[in-house]
Amino acid sequence: MSSDRLDTLEMLVAEQQRTIEDLSDGLLRQQKELDRLTARLRASDDRIAELESGLPSPGNEKPPHY
């Protein structure tokens, strides 16, 4: 194998490694953001359930327009 061809292959491998590391970093950031948003959604769901538990049950009342 010629030296130029070997150099080209080494550069391609190095570029692919950088790309994989960049993609991995991006995926890690997205996962952290997803975890943060999931926790906020869970807290919101808990708060809504707490507020709804204090409301009277809707019952079977007819709407006023009947």
Side-chain angles (χ1 to χ4, degrees):
M1 192 178 285
S2 71
S3 177
D4 290 339
R5 188 168 177 187
L6 184 60
D7 290 342
T8 302
L9 289 174
E10 287 176 346
M11 288 187 327
L12 288 173
V13 168
E15 184 178 332
Q16 288 178 350
Q17 285 176 332
R18 279 192 304 274
T19 301
I20 290 170
E21 288 173 3
D22 291 345
L23 290 171
S24 180
D25 291 344
L27 184 60
L28 181 61
R29 282 191 306 275
Q30 287 179 345
Q31 186 60 51
K32 286 180 180 180
E33 181 70 7
L34 182 60
D35 291 344
R36 186 183 69 80
L37 292 172
T38 300
R40 285 185 66 186
L41 179 60
R42 191 171 294 121
S44 294
D45 286 347
D46 292 345
R47 180 69 175 136
I48 290 170
E50 179 184 315
L51 292 172
E52 286 177 342
S53 69
L55 295 176
S57 61
N60 289 331
E61 299 177 14
K62 289 186 177 182
H65 61 279
Y66 276 99

